[in-house]
Amino acid sequence: VQLQASGGGLVQAGGSLRLSCAASGRTFSSYAMGWFRQAPGKEREFVARIRWSAYSTYYADSVKGRFTISRENDKNTVYLQMNSLKPEDTAVYYCAAAPYLARAAHEYDYWGQGTQVTVSS
């Protein structure tokens, strides 16, 4: 699976962005997909995940109620809708694919290149 993340940018606090992750290669629909982020000087942290059926999602407490993960298997794409953005959401965001429903970064086999999200105060 090859992953290509896009949609990052600069936004003011309270604004919204939608990230996309386009997958190619092996059967996308059989993988669980996740979003992670990494701020400067910090470790990569889990943001959200969605299973292949799209009926099960899970979020980090820090984004719950503000971010929504979704996927379109027929388009081989997963999305992260980010609303009510805060300066502390500033980070490089990565999409990743795992053969099973996972939360830890080391459980994900495939990673996109990352897209920068910057939220100004």
PDB file of all heavy atoms in Angstrom, residues 36-47 88 90-92 94 105 111:
ATOM      1  N   PHE A  36      -2.026  10.046  12.438  1.00  0.00           N
ATOM      2  CA  PHE A  36      -1.137  10.399  13.536  1.00  0.00           C
ATOM      3  C   PHE A  36      -0.619  11.809  13.284  1.00  0.00           C
ATOM      4  O   PHE A  36      -0.743  12.335  12.183  1.00  0.00           O
ATOM      5  CB  PHE A  36       0.056   9.425  13.598  1.00  0.00           C
ATOM      6  CG  PHE A  36      -0.315   8.043  14.020  1.00  0.00           C
ATOM      7  CD1 PHE A  36      -0.928   7.154  13.147  1.00  0.00           C
ATOM      8  CD2 PHE A  36      -0.052   7.603  15.312  1.00  0.00           C
ATOM      9  CE1 PHE A  36      -1.281   5.874  13.539  1.00  0.00           C
ATOM     10  CE2 PHE A  36      -0.387   6.324  15.707  1.00  0.00           C
ATOM     11  CZ  PHE A  36      -1.003   5.465  14.820  1.00  0.00           C
ATOM     12  N   ARG A  37      -0.028  12.406  14.300  1.00  0.00           N
ATOM     13  CA  ARG A  37       0.583  13.713  14.110  1.00  0.00           C
ATOM     14  C   ARG A  37       1.848  13.822  14.953  1.00  0.00           C
ATOM     15  O   ARG A  37       1.997  13.127  15.961  1.00  0.00           O
ATOM     16  CB  ARG A  37      -0.393  14.830  14.471  1.00  0.00           C
ATOM     17  CG  ARG A  37      -0.802  14.883  15.940  1.00  0.00           C
ATOM     18  CD  ARG A  37      -1.895  15.924  16.125  1.00  0.00           C
ATOM     19  NE  ARG A  37      -2.283  16.050  17.531  1.00  0.00           N
ATOM     20  CZ  ARG A  37      -3.293  16.798  17.956  1.00  0.00           C
ATOM     21  NH1 ARG A  37      -4.039  17.490  17.067  1.00  0.00           N
ATOM     22  NH2 ARG A  37      -3.571  16.874  19.239  1.00  0.00           N
ATOM     23  N   GLN A  38       2.721  14.683  14.496  1.00  0.00           N
ATOM     24  CA  GLN A  38       3.974  14.896  15.212  1.00  0.00           C
ATOM     25  C   GLN A  38       4.313  16.370  15.188  1.00  0.00           C
ATOM     26  O   GLN A  38       4.512  16.951  14.112  1.00  0.00           O
ATOM     27  CB  GLN A  38       5.105  14.074  14.602  1.00  0.00           C
ATOM     28  CG  GLN A  38       6.387  14.108  15.405  1.00  0.00           C
ATOM     29  CD  GLN A  38       7.371  13.046  14.969  1.00  0.00           C
ATOM     30  OE1 GLN A  38       7.278  12.486  13.877  1.00  0.00           O
ATOM     31  NE2 GLN A  38       8.323  12.751  15.828  1.00  0.00           N
ATOM     32  N   ALA A  39       4.351  16.954  16.371  1.00  0.00           N
ATOM     33  CA  ALA A  39       4.744  18.351  16.522  1.00  0.00           C
ATOM     34  C   ALA A  39       6.255  18.431  16.736  1.00  0.00           C
ATOM     35  O   ALA A  39       6.870  17.454  17.182  1.00  0.00           O
ATOM     36  CB  ALA A  39       3.995  18.975  17.690  1.00  0.00           C
ATOM     37  N   PRO A  40       6.866  19.567  16.452  1.00  0.00           N
ATOM     38  CA  PRO A  40       8.313  19.708  16.643  1.00  0.00           C
ATOM     39  C   PRO A  40       8.735  19.378  18.061  1.00  0.00           C
ATOM     40  O   PRO A  40       8.145  19.864  19.031  1.00  0.00           O
ATOM     41  CB  PRO A  40       8.556  21.184  16.319  1.00  0.00           C
ATOM     42  CG  PRO A  40       7.465  21.559  15.395  1.00  0.00           C
ATOM     43  CD  PRO A  40       6.268  20.772  15.860  1.00  0.00           C
ATOM     44  N   GLY A  41       9.727  18.519  18.192  1.00  0.00           N
ATOM     45  CA  GLY A  41      10.256  18.167  19.497  1.00  0.00           C
ATOM     46  C   GLY A  41       9.413  17.183  20.283  1.00  0.00           C
ATOM     47  O   GLY A  41       9.723  16.886  21.436  1.00  0.00           O
ATOM     48  N   LYS A  42       8.349  16.689  19.660  1.00  0.00           N
ATOM     49  CA  LYS A  42       7.463  15.748  20.348  1.00  0.00           C
ATOM     50  C   LYS A  42       7.408  14.423  19.595  1.00  0.00           C
ATOM     51  O   LYS A  42       7.738  14.346  18.418  1.00  0.00           O
ATOM     52  CB  LYS A  42       6.065  16.332  20.483  1.00  0.00           C
ATOM     53  CG  LYS A  42       5.997  17.568  21.367  1.00  0.00           C
ATOM     54  CD  LYS A  42       4.562  17.986  21.609  1.00  0.00           C
ATOM     55  CE  LYS A  42       4.480  19.166  22.554  1.00  0.00           C
ATOM     56  NZ  LYS A  42       3.070  19.575  22.817  1.00  0.00           N
ATOM     57  N   GLU A  43       6.958  13.402  20.295  1.00  0.00           N
ATOM     58  CA  GLU A  43       6.796  12.098  19.673  1.00  0.00           C
ATOM     59  C   GLU A  43       5.546  12.076  18.816  1.00  0.00           C
ATOM     60  O   GLU A  43       4.609  12.846  19.025  1.00  0.00           O
ATOM     61  CB  GLU A  43       6.731  11.011  20.750  1.00  0.00           C
ATOM     62  CG  GLU A  43       8.021  10.842  21.530  1.00  0.00           C
ATOM     63  CD  GLU A  43       7.964   9.649  22.464  1.00  0.00           C
ATOM     64  OE1 GLU A  43       6.890   9.046  22.602  1.00  0.00           O
ATOM     65  OE2 GLU A  43       9.007   9.320  23.053  1.00  0.00           O
ATOM     66  N   ARG A  44       5.549  11.157  17.856  1.00  0.00           N
ATOM     67  CA  ARG A  44       4.360  10.973  17.032  1.00  0.00           C
ATOM     68  C   ARG A  44       3.228  10.451  17.903  1.00  0.00           C
ATOM     69  O   ARG A  44       3.415   9.528  18.702  1.00  0.00           O
ATOM     70  CB  ARG A  44       4.662   9.993  15.902  1.00  0.00           C
ATOM     71  CG  ARG A  44       3.598   9.922  14.840  1.00  0.00           C
ATOM     72  CD  ARG A  44       4.100   9.152  13.629  1.00  0.00           C
ATOM     73  NE  ARG A  44       5.239   9.830  13.002  1.00  0.00           N
ATOM     74  CZ  ARG A  44       5.766   9.458  11.835  1.00  0.00           C
ATOM     75  NH1 ARG A  44       5.255   8.423  11.173  1.00  0.00           N
ATOM     76  NH2 ARG A  44       6.793  10.105  11.344  1.00  0.00           N
ATOM     77  N   GLU A  45       2.049  11.044  17.751  1.00  0.00           N
ATOM     78  CA  GLU A  45       0.922  10.641  18.586  1.00  0.00           C
ATOM     79  C   GLU A  45      -0.273  10.238  17.739  1.00  0.00           C
ATOM     80  O   GLU A  45      -0.498  10.762  16.644  1.00  0.00           O
ATOM     81  CB  GLU A  45       0.520  11.766  19.559  1.00  0.00           C
ATOM     82  CG  GLU A  45      -0.035  13.005  18.897  1.00  0.00           C
ATOM     83  CD  GLU A  45      -0.605  13.990  19.912  1.00  0.00           C
ATOM     84  OE1 GLU A  45      -0.720  13.647  21.103  1.00  0.00           O
ATOM     85  OE2 GLU A  45      -0.938  15.114  19.494  1.00  0.00           O
ATOM     86  N   PHE A  46      -1.028   9.334  18.282  1.00  0.00           N
ATOM     87  CA  PHE A  46      -2.246   8.835  17.641  1.00  0.00           C
ATOM     88  C   PHE A  46      -3.310   9.930  17.625  1.00  0.00           C
ATOM     89  O   PHE A  46      -3.476  10.660  18.611  1.00  0.00           O
ATOM     90  CB  PHE A  46      -2.751   7.606  18.402  1.00  0.00           C
ATOM     91  CG  PHE A  46      -4.130   7.171  18.027  1.00  0.00           C
ATOM     92  CD1 PHE A  46      -4.343   6.402  16.897  1.00  0.00           C
ATOM     93  CD2 PHE A  46      -5.217   7.538  18.801  1.00  0.00           C
ATOM     94  CE1 PHE A  46      -5.622   6.003  16.542  1.00  0.00           C
ATOM     95  CE2 PHE A  46      -6.506   7.144  18.464  1.00  0.00           C
ATOM     96  CZ  PHE A  46      -6.699   6.369  17.331  1.00  0.00           C
ATOM     97  N   VAL A  47      -4.041  10.035  16.513  1.00  0.00           N
ATOM     98  CA  VAL A  47      -5.138  10.993  16.396  1.00  0.00           C
ATOM     99  C   VAL A  47      -6.474  10.278  16.242  1.00  0.00           C
ATOM    100  O   VAL A  47      -7.408  10.526  17.014  1.00  0.00           O
ATOM    101  CB  VAL A  47      -4.909  11.941  15.199  1.00  0.00           C
ATOM    102  CG1 VAL A  47      -6.124  12.854  15.002  1.00  0.00           C
ATOM    103  CG2 VAL A  47      -3.650  12.761  15.397  1.00  0.00           C
ATOM    104  N   GLU A  88      -2.550  24.196  19.347  1.00  0.00           N
ATOM    105  CA  GLU A  88      -1.890  22.955  19.771  1.00  0.00           C
ATOM    106  C   GLU A  88      -2.130  21.795  18.803  1.00  0.00           C
ATOM    107  O   GLU A  88      -1.544  20.729  18.959  1.00  0.00           O
ATOM    108  CB  GLU A  88      -2.317  22.549  21.183  1.00  0.00           C
ATOM    109  CG  GLU A  88      -3.820  22.500  21.396  1.00  0.00           C
ATOM    110  CD  GLU A  88      -4.343  23.786  22.029  1.00  0.00           C
ATOM    111  OE1 GLU A  88      -3.920  24.889  21.600  1.00  0.00           O
ATOM    112  OE2 GLU A  88      -5.188  23.676  22.944  1.00  0.00           O
ATOM    113  N   THR A  90      -1.227  22.127  15.766  1.00  0.00           N
ATOM    114  CA  THR A  90      -0.148  22.313  14.797  1.00  0.00           C
ATOM    115  C   THR A  90       0.815  21.135  14.830  1.00  0.00           C
ATOM    116  O   THR A  90       1.346  20.788  15.888  1.00  0.00           O
ATOM    117  CB  THR A  90       0.609  23.617  15.084  1.00  0.00           C
ATOM    118  OG1 THR A  90      -0.279  24.724  14.880  1.00  0.00           O
ATOM    119  CG2 THR A  90       1.816  23.767  14.174  1.00  0.00           C
ATOM    120  N   ALA A  91       1.026  20.516  13.671  1.00  0.00           N
ATOM    121  CA  ALA A  91       1.880  19.329  13.577  1.00  0.00           C
ATOM    122  C   ALA A  91       1.943  18.879  12.127  1.00  0.00           C
ATOM    123  O   ALA A  91       1.193  19.377  11.277  1.00  0.00           O
ATOM    124  CB  ALA A  91       1.328  18.196  14.440  1.00  0.00           C
ATOM    125  N   VAL A  92       2.816  17.936  11.871  1.00  0.00           N
ATOM    126  CA  VAL A  92       2.776  17.202  10.605  1.00  0.00           C
ATOM    127  C   VAL A  92       1.846  16.019  10.818  1.00  0.00           C
ATOM    128  O   VAL A  92       2.013  15.262  11.777  1.00  0.00           O
ATOM    129  CB  VAL A  92       4.170  16.726  10.172  1.00  0.00           C
ATOM    130  CG1 VAL A  92       4.062  15.908   8.886  1.00  0.00           C
ATOM    131  CG2 VAL A  92       5.097  17.927   9.975  1.00  0.00           C
ATOM    132  N   TYR A  94       0.176  12.481   9.556  1.00  0.00           N
ATOM    133  CA  TYR A  94       0.499  11.309   8.752  1.00  0.00           C
ATOM    134  C   TYR A  94      -0.695  10.362   8.713  1.00  0.00           C
ATOM    135  O   TYR A  94      -1.347  10.143   9.737  1.00  0.00           O
ATOM    136  CB  TYR A  94       1.678  10.550   9.353  1.00  0.00           C
ATOM    137  CG  TYR A  94       2.959  11.329   9.434  1.00  0.00           C
ATOM    138  CD1 TYR A  94       3.258  12.102  10.558  1.00  0.00           C
ATOM    139  CD2 TYR A  94       3.898  11.282   8.405  1.00  0.00           C
ATOM    140  CE1 TYR A  94       4.442  12.812  10.644  1.00  0.00           C
ATOM    141  CE2 TYR A  94       5.085  11.993   8.485  1.00  0.00           C
ATOM    142  CZ  TYR A  94       5.343  12.749   9.608  1.00  0.00           C
ATOM    143  OH  TYR A  94       6.523  13.453   9.695  1.00  0.00           O
ATOM    144  N   ALA A 105       1.592   3.368  16.910  1.00  0.00           N
ATOM    145  CA  ALA A 105       2.259   3.639  15.635  1.00  0.00           C
ATOM    146  C   ALA A 105       3.019   2.430  15.117  1.00  0.00           C
ATOM    147  O   ALA A 105       3.036   2.185  13.900  1.00  0.00           O
ATOM    148  CB  ALA A 105       3.190   4.832  15.792  1.00  0.00           C
ATOM    149  N   TRP A 111       3.017   4.020   5.728  1.00  0.00           N
ATOM    150  CA  TRP A 111       2.882   5.422   6.133  1.00  0.00           C
ATOM    151  C   TRP A 111       2.931   6.342   4.922  1.00  0.00           C
ATOM    152  O   TRP A 111       3.703   6.102   3.986  1.00  0.00           O
ATOM    153  CB  TRP A 111       4.012   5.805   7.086  1.00  0.00           C
ATOM    154  CG  TRP A 111       3.894   5.131   8.421  1.00  0.00           C
ATOM    155  CD1 TRP A 111       4.303   3.875   8.752  1.00  0.00           C
ATOM    156  CD2 TRP A 111       3.288   5.685   9.586  1.00  0.00           C
ATOM    157  NE1 TRP A 111       3.996   3.605  10.058  1.00  0.00           N
ATOM    158  CE2 TRP A 111       3.380   4.701  10.608  1.00  0.00           C
ATOM    159  CE3 TRP A 111       2.707   6.906   9.882  1.00  0.00           C
ATOM    160  CZ2 TRP A 111       2.889   4.913  11.894  1.00  0.00           C
ATOM    161  CZ3 TRP A 111       2.219   7.123  11.162  1.00  0.00           C
ATOM    162  CH2 TRP A 111       2.305   6.129  12.147  1.00  0.00           C
TER     163      TRP A 111
END
